Every structure is written in structure tokens, then in C-alpha cells.
Amino acid sequence: MDQQQFHGPENRLTNVLERMAKAHFRYQPKLVEPKLVAVTKTFSAEDISPLLDMDQRLFGENRVQEAMGKWPALQEKYEGVKLHLIGPLQTNKVKEAVALFDVIETLDREKLAGALAKEMAKSGKQLDCFVQVNIGDEAQKSGIAQNEVVSFVQICRDTYGLNIVGLMCIPPAGDAPGPFFALMNGLAKEADVTHLSMGMSADFEVAIAMGASYVRVGSALFGNR
Ligand SMILES: *Cc1c(COP(=O)(O)O)cnc(C)c1O
């Protein structure tokens, strides 16, 4: 087997899926198998195609503009693609985001909830949403504070009629992520949401052990950005 093939995206995808399955079987066999959101930010259609050829269908992008540049053509070519927005969403991009994406993982303020509700009503396209949680209480990070998650989820549901299916987080860099993932698991139960989007290339097995239903993996699939 040559070097190219061994390090190719196909092998990386197989490897990540196997590690996910092992972690699931070992730590959370009673939960539904976690799903892989392949994070394609900064990568081209050419980089992404091998994964689509292997039937990966769930992808994450950070920026609306960047995603608009590459995904419509790929969606023409491959059926059943689901796109998650995993980066910050400005209200002036809501229209484009609702048109392109299937799931918004970064609902982090009431103004955005209002804008999303309005656009979904207008377009007739209802997207599932995750509430982003600032689980490490970091000043520079967006997300709802831990002690406001339950009430924010309720407002999104009751006032705006949004379909809140889960919570999402990016734990503080440098700290062991396990305790933050465990906190997220407790919050999801309190807020009565089904899904947890947590875990990236460096820590997705820990996240699965703590109950992640979606892991967002980029560099382990595509290499360093
Ligand atoms: C880039 C990104 C990821 C993927 O990170 P990797 O470390 O490359 O796996 C996951 N989630 C979010 C929100 C990201 O911005």
C-alpha cells in the first residue's frame, strides 16, 4: 500500500468511524450510535468528494458564505447531503443560512432566535436547531451561560416556536474536556433536549463516552488546516 493511499481521506474516514464505533460500544452501548459531522471548512470540493463517494452525507461548515461557494454544486451531484452550520451566524446572513443548511448548531442569542423563526416562517423551511452553550464560561466564546440554558431553550420553543433538538459546545482549549462534556449531558436532560453535539478531532471519543450524539471532526479527516 503506498503512502498516498494509506494517508488518504478514505482511510481517515474509515479510521474515525471505527474509533467512534469502538467508543460507543465500550462506553455508551445503550445510546443510539453517534453520528459523524465531517467538518469541511477551508477544504475544497475536490477534498470533500472522496468522502461523499464513501457515502458520508453529514457535513459541517463554519461560514455561510464559504459554504455557499462549494455545497450547491456538490448537492447537485450527490443525493441526501445534510449540512450543519457550526460557526457563528449573523442575523444578516439568516436568509442564506436557512436556504442552504439543514441544521443550525449555533443558536446563541434571542435576537438570532427571532430572526431564524421569522425566516423559517417566510421560507416554509423548518430547520432543527442546537443551542450553543458556553460551557467553560469563557469571555471570548459565544454561547448561552450554563445557568441560562434551560430558560433559553424554553424561550426558543415557546416564544419562537423553534425546533430545539440539542445542545452544542466547544470546551475550553487546554483543559481536559471530559468534565465539560459531562456537564453538557446534565444540561441536556434538564433542558429536555435529545441531542448533544460535542467532541472534535482531539476528543471525540471522550465526548462519545459522555453521551455525544454528534461529533464534529475536521482535521482527523482532512489533515491540518
Ligand atoms: C473546526 C471546527 C470543528 C472541527 O475541528 P477539528 O479539530 O479540526 O476536528 C468542530 N467544531 C467547530 C465548531 C469547528 O469550528
Side-chain angles (χ1 to χ4, degrees), residues 39-155:
V39 177
T40 47
K41 65 182 183 218
T42 77
F43 290 100
S44 67
E46 199 176 49
D47 297 319
I48 301 166
S49 293
L51 268 65
L52 285 157
D53 289 332
M54 288 180 76
D55 290 336
Q56 173 67 27
R57 284 295 180 272
L58 189 52
F59 294 90
E61 284 279 351
N62 271 56
R63 291 164 185 271
V64 177
Q65 211 68 29
E66 185 189 336
M68 282 168 67
K70 56 183 145 174
W71 279 103
L74 286 168
Q75 285 169 317
E76 284 273 303
K77 194 166 164 203
Y78 296 90
E79 254 175 71
V81 169
K82 296 276 179 222
L83 281 184
H84 286 210
L85 179 65
I86 62 168
L89 178 56
Q90 305 305 318
T91 45
N92 64 3
K93 291 273 164 55
V94 159
K95 187 180 158 82
E96 286 93 341
V98 168
L100 180 64
F101 287 90
D102 298 284
V103 174
I104 306 291
E105 291 206 18
T106 46
L107 175 51
D108 61 357
R109 58 201 193 279
E110 193 170 343
K111 188 181 172 201
L112 180 58
L116 282 168
K118 201 169 153 192
E119 180 57 32
M120 289 185 205
K122 202 167 139 193
S123 65
K125 187 180 171 200
Q126 204 68 29
L127 277 65
D128 288 346
C129 298
F130 286 67
V131 166
Q132 184 171 356
V133 181
N134 187 356
I135 198 65
D137 203 16
E138 296 171 281
Q140 81 283 8
K141 230 170 234 170
S142 44
I144 300 294
Q146 255 186 78
N147 59 355
E148 288 166 15
V149 168
V150 171
S151 61
F152 184 72
V153 167
Q154 214 152 32
I155 289 169

